[in-house]
Amino acid sequence: VWHYRKVETEYGDLRARDLLSNLHYLLSNMDLQALEGNKVIEIRNRDVNKGRAARKWMGQETYDFIFAIGDDATDEDTFRAMPEEAFT
């Protein structure tokens, strides 16, 4: 993960665009992906994400109430993994 929260906004955004462009090219033939979040760029295995982890964890118990929260693009996998009755 590359964080650029403490960098001047315009400079950080410019460098993030450059990095993302290069990463998309470099990772195109790999099982990796580059995700842009809130002042962060993350590289991860395509098959490993928060949604898969949440689904595995939820499969071990029965829950009366499920509430999933997040504030970043990297949390979208979690929201998609939630059962229909969950609050996201």
Side-chain angles (χ1 to χ4, degrees):
V1 175
W2 179 62
H3 294 266
Y4 58 101
R5 288 185 176 97
K6 294 185 177 186
V7 175
E8 181 184 321
T9 302
E10 290 179 22
Y11 184 71
D13 290 343
L14 176 66
R15 292 295 169 228
R17 297 279 163 253
D18 288 344
L19 179 58
L20 268 176
S21 177
N22 285 306
L23 286 172
H24 286 304
Y25 173 76
L26 292 169
L27 303 176
S28 64
N29 294 323
M30 299 180 188
D31 283 338
L32 299 172
Q33 66 184 145
L35 297 172
E36 183 177 16
N38 183 14
K39 301 284 185 184
V40 63
I41 294 177
E42 176 180 330
I43 300 171
R44 69 177 189 191
N45 183 300
R46 290 184 188 277
D47 294 330
V48 177
N49 62 58
K50 295 175 185 179
R52 282 183 162 220
R55 193 177 305 121
K56 182 177 179 180
W57 191 50
M58 287 187 309
Q60 298 172 359
E61 297 285 335
T62 302
Y63 299 97
D64 296 329
F65 182 79
I66 299 171
F67 181 53
I69 59 175
D71 67 347
D72 214 315
T74 60
D75 298 313
E76 293 299 321
D77 294 318
T78 303
F79 301 142
R80 283 190 290 275
M82 293 294 110
E84 197 167 305
E85 66 272 9
F87 289 86
T88 61

